[in-house]
Amino acid sequence: MSAPARTSAVRAVPASPIAGTRHRPLPIPSVRLVGGPLAAWQQRNGEATIPHCIEQLDVSGVLDNFRRLLGESDAEFRGLVFADSDLYKVIEAVAWEIARTRTRAFDSWLDDVIALVARVQEPSGYVDTWIQGVAPEKKFAALEWTHEMYVAGHLIQAAVALVRAAGRTDLLDVARRLADLLVERFGPGGEDGICGHPEIETALVELYRLTGERTYLDLASRMIDLRGHGLLPAGSLGAHYFQDHRPVRESTAAVGHAVRQLYLNAGVTDVFVETGDDSLLRAMDAQWNSAHDRKMYLSGAFGSRHRDEAFGDDYELPSERAYAETCATVADLLWTWRMLLADGGAGTARYAETIEREVHNALAAAVDATGTRFFYANPLQQRRDHHSEENAPRERAPWYVCACCPPNIARTVAQLSAYVATVTDGALWLHQLADAEIDLPAELGTGTVRTVTGYPADGRVEIRVEGDVVPGAELSVRIPGWSPRSTLVGPDGPRECDGDGYARAPLEPGARYVLDLDLTPRLTTAHHRVDALRGAVAVERGPVVYCVEQADLDAPLDVDDLAVLPPAPITVGERDTLVLRCRVINAADGLYGPDTATEFGDEHTVTAIPFSTWGNRAPGPMRVWLPRAPR
Ligand SMILES: [Zn+2]
């Protein structure tokens, strides 16, 4: 069963299709974020977040859960049934950090933890410390909640990343033994089994991509075919909680637990890419529209319900009760990128712009300025008396009992440069505008494209083509939907945005282009069916969503009594802040009253800050959406 790794095809990039896709990803080492907020974030991720996560694996007991099985720890099992996945996600983060920086700083840690996992692995290939140490009788016996295949999926993804990033195969040996066990037990001709928490599907496709071993792809396909036929005992949360309510090809709405739905969709899209099964892409197109046209928060977050960590109904998007789990944004980024590679129906620009919204807002807000405190839930409003809940505290926390989110941020930030650009036949595409160096893939030449910009604070993007380029090559640059009249200006004049959201110019040695984006702050409203946001506006500038935080208001101004005066010009203040003109809403008598017009009082100027930076001072009220005042 074990074919040798096809090292010639190994590329240091997550989601590396081997079937021919129109868009092909570029390896992480060839796309370097060199300046601006994304580069600073990656540096903080490598220097603070990843070391913090490594420390927390000891503090939280994750590593002791392995050691106790070897008689090397007296500790009781700690954490939730899927605690092992925290370790695997941190290993994956380290792998992409190695791809990015060639760091050797984590080598000895990797030696230790990979050896630990290998020693805990049973001769059969099985490894899962909760099952092995706490409930061996549950092995593959309660797939609806044990998360065994979810954990296996993260082990496989970490192993694939380590091979691609560092050429290191020791964890791959462990992962393949486990994957082979899954194939033997649940593959064609075996038991019907699917996991309550999707994740294994995308991992198995990636393992197939790395090894060329078709049985892994077949198992992923089989698990997708089996979902939606009631294999999992539904329990009180209902079958839609884990997307077992309807066959995947008939599921046109994003429902149930948001992270599960979005991870599943990443796997389904991967299987489509490698098999060409159009019925899967049709379902994914419908799902993508469901999630992004009717269920996404302005920040690029998902999940309006704390109960079940679930998507709400269409247009059910309350700000202060937003669950908006960090992992759901990570999962959607991974899925949306796969939809871009798969050339899905929403179009390349829409996928790229969604990823941009997620990266600069929901994902950036989930981690604090030190890189060591994290939000699990990411509401768009916090009230003065906001109560803390386990996964929705008032302030970012250093870790969680359910610690899925912090390592997910770490692995995503380490791989951010993978989402900046792609290559199609004869063209380099710039999807994300960032200060970066991009080495051309061999098919386009040996040169480098250098993008110089202070984006998103500054709307000027200069693009220089340096070195050799093959004749006839083209450059495609995304023009964001909020700046549609911007042009790509080169030596032969301006080039307007094509209908697909990209402007095109020759990719020629020595060429220099300038894109000037319109960063005029703008007011945004929501669809009229979003009752929670009716009559309210949000402020955006470029891809950045703003909020007003009580910390910026002088007493007696209260963020919950402010209304924005449109269309008064919004000016740009210091350090990415905006200055809004607002009126105070005069307090009404009582909770309810006659239908008379709201009364407005004095006018004030109010500072708004990027939503991504809120909560870095004392905890307190914040809101993205504010009522609109009459002119
Ligand atoms: Zn999470």
Side-chain angles (χ1 to χ4, degrees):
M1 173 167 299
S2 294
R6 302 193 313 173
T7 46
S8 61
V10 170
R11 287 148 49 86
V13 63
S16 186
I18 56 176
T21 52
R22 178 171 170 238
H23 284 278
R24 298 181 290 280
L26 300 178
I28 286 174
S30 70
V31 185
R32 296 172 293 279
L33 296 165
V34 293
L38 298 187
W41 191 5
Q42 282 200 315
Q43 190 171 349
R44 192 169 73 236
N45 190 61
E47 292 173 359
T49 306
I50 291 175
H52 173 82
C53 287
I54 286 174
E55 184 187 321
Q56 290 296 319
L57 292 173
D58 260 317
V59 173
S60 67
V62 167
L63 294 180
D64 278 343
N65 292 342
F66 286 85
R67 295 181 186 120
R68 64 193 288 275
L69 292 171
L70 301 166
E72 296 170 8
S73 165
D74 297 329
E76 291 293 301
F77 182 93
R78 284 188 287 162
L80 302 180
V81 297
F82 47 85
D84 295 0
S85 65
D86 299 345
L87 170 63
Y88 302 142
K89 278 191 279 190
V90 176
I91 294 175
E92 189 189 339
V94 166
W96 300 128
E97 185 64 8
I98 291 171
R100 188 178 79 81
T101 64
R102 309 315 305 169
T103 178
R104 308 300 302 264
F106 302 109
D107 284 6
S108 66
W109 179 78
L110 285 172
D111 293 343
D112 291 347
V113 295
I114 293 170
L116 192 57
V117 177
R119 285 190 294 143
V120 168
Q121 184 170 39
E122 295 176 354
S124 69
Y126 191 87
V127 56
D128 181 304
T129 67
W130 186 81
I131 294 284
Q132 290 170 271
V134 180
E137 74 284 3
K138 292 281 193 272
K139 185 188 287 186
F140 294 137
L143 291 174
E144 70 277 16
W145 63 268
T146 58
H147 287 66
E148 288 157 280
M149 295 190 198
Y150 165 87
V151 170
H154 279 300
L155 169 54
I156 292 167
Q157 284 197 309
V160 169
L162 271 180
V163 178
R164 289 183 181 157
R168 183 169 182 150
T169 59
D170 45 359
L171 192 61
L172 180 69
D173 295 339
V174 174
R176 289 199 70 168
R177 280 197 292 275
L178 177 54
D180 292 345
L181 173 68
L182 295 177
V183 168
E184 191 182 304
R185 179 144 182 169
F186 297 103
E191 280 174 51
D192 290 348
I194 58 173
C195 188
H197 197 311
E199 153 64 26
I200 184 72
E201 299 83 356
T202 193
L204 285 168
V205 178
E206 286 277 83
L207 188 59
Y208 157 70
R209 288 166 170 166
L210 181 74
T211 63
E213 177 57 59
R214 178 87 194 185
T215 52
Y216 302 140
L217 176 62
D218 292 342
L219 179 57
S221 297
R222 177 170 151 77
M223 288 174 169
I224 286 165
D225 293 344
L226 288 173
R227 193 166 286 272
H229 296 280
L231 267 184
L232 301 172
S236 62
L237 301 176
H240 62 278
Y241 171 70
F242 33 46
Q243 294 80 38
D244 196 30
H245 61 299
R246 187 172 292 165
V248 167
R249 289 171 181 78
E250 298 165 23
S251 297
T252 55
V255 297
H257 189 281
V259 178
R260 296 176 198 232
Q261 177 75 80
L262 295 165
Y263 275 161
L264 173 64
N265 293 357
V268 172
T269 307
D270 279 331
V271 169
F272 159 73
V273 164
E274 301 300 349
T275 64
D277 180 344
D278 285 330
S279 64
L280 293 177
L281 184 62
R282 280 196 296 277
M284 289 301 94
D285 279 337
Q287 282 253 1
W288 201 87
N289 294 341
S290 164
H292 297 83
D293 291 346
R294 299 181 291 280
K295 300 192 178 192
M296 183 180 76
Y297 282 97
L298 185 67
S299 56
F302 302 85
S304 351
R305 296 183 186 171
H306 287 232
R307 185 175 187 273
D308 309 354
E309 307 188 305
F311 283 107
D313 296 333
D314 287 352
Y315 306 110
E316 180 190 334
L317 294 165
S319 287
E320 80 276 51
R321 294 297 296 157
Y323 194 65
E325 181 179 345
T326 301
C327 287
T329 294
V330 169
D332 189 70
L333 187 156
L334 299 177
W335 175 37
T336 296
W337 179 250
R338 285 159 171 76
M339 290 297 282
L340 186 153
L341 297 179
D343 220 9
T348 309
R350 186 112 196 263
Y351 297 133
E353 197 157 321
T354 299
I355 289 172
E356 176 173 65
R357 178 172 293 279
E358 295 171 343
V359 167
H360 286 286
N361 300 291
L363 197 60
V367 57
D368 79 339
T370 71
T372 61
R373 298 287 184 278
F374 312 91
F375 277 133
Y376 187 118
N378 293 273
L380 281 74
Q381 177 185 7
Q382 180 157 287
R383 294 185 188 276
R384 187 169 299 278
D385 54 350
H386 182 92
H387 57 288
S388 268
E389 295 177 27
E390 185 179 343
N391 291 338
R394 284 171 62 81
E395 300 177 75
R396 295 178 185 87
W399 207 246
Y400 291 85
V401 173
C402 176
C404 50
C405 299
N408 232 352
I409 294 172
R411 71 174 181 137
T412 305
V413 175
Q415 63 185 247
L416 271 188
S417 69
Y419 306 111
V420 169
T422 56
V423 60
T424 59
D425 291 345
L428 179 75
W429 294 57
L430 295 183
H431 304 293
Q432 302 303 328
L433 303 169
D435 200 60
E437 290 172 351
I438 303 166
D439 296 337
L440 292 179
E443 62 193 277
L444 294 183
T446 56
T448 299
V449 170
R450 175 79 175 95
T451 56
V452 181
T453 181
Y455 189 83
D458 181 36
R460 187 174 194 276
V461 184
E462 184 183 332
I463 302 165
R464 295 185 218 132
V465 185
E466 297 161 358
D468 290 333
V469 184
V470 299
E474 191 178 60
L475 177 68
S476 294
V477 180
R478 183 170 65 84
I479 308 291
W482 40 260
S483 186
R485 284 179 293 283
S486 294
T487 54
L488 189 62
V489 180
D492 56 349
R495 291 167 179 273
E496 292 185 1
C497 186
D498 289 337
D500 67 350
Y502 288 77
R504 292 182 167 83
L507 189 66
E508 290 173 341
R512 176 178 167 277
Y513 301 99
V514 173
L515 177 64
D516 262 312
L517 295 167
D518 179 5
L519 287 187
T520 305
R522 61 190 192 277
L523 294 178
T524 299
T525 60
H527 189 280
H528 70 275
R529 290 190 182 180
V530 186
D531 294 79
L533 303 179
R534 192 170 294 132
V537 291
V539 184
E540 296 183 273
R541 179 174 185 250
V544 178
V545 174
Y546 277 74
C547 68
V548 178
E549 200 172 13
Q550 187 65 40
D552 285 309
L553 302 179
D554 292 326
L557 283 186
D558 190 311
V559 67
D560 288 324
D561 295 333
L562 293 178
V564 177
L565 263 171
I570 300 167
T571 53
V572 180
E574 289 177 14
R575 304 202 311 149
D576 299 345
T577 62
L578 298 179
V579 182
L580 313 181
R581 287 176 63 216
C582 295
R583 290 182 73 184
V584 173
I585 305 171
N586 288 341
D589 292 332
L591 186 56
Y592 304 104
D595 177 25
T596 51
T598 305
E599 286 186 21
F600 294 88
D602 297 343
E603 202 178 308
H604 295 270
T605 56
V606 167
T607 299
I609 61 168
F611 171 70
S612 59
T613 64
W614 89 278
N616 273 290
R617 295 169 284 187
M622 174 282 297
R623 54 193 301 155
V624 168
W625 294 91
L626 290 101
R628 166 198 281 267
R631 274 197 256 173

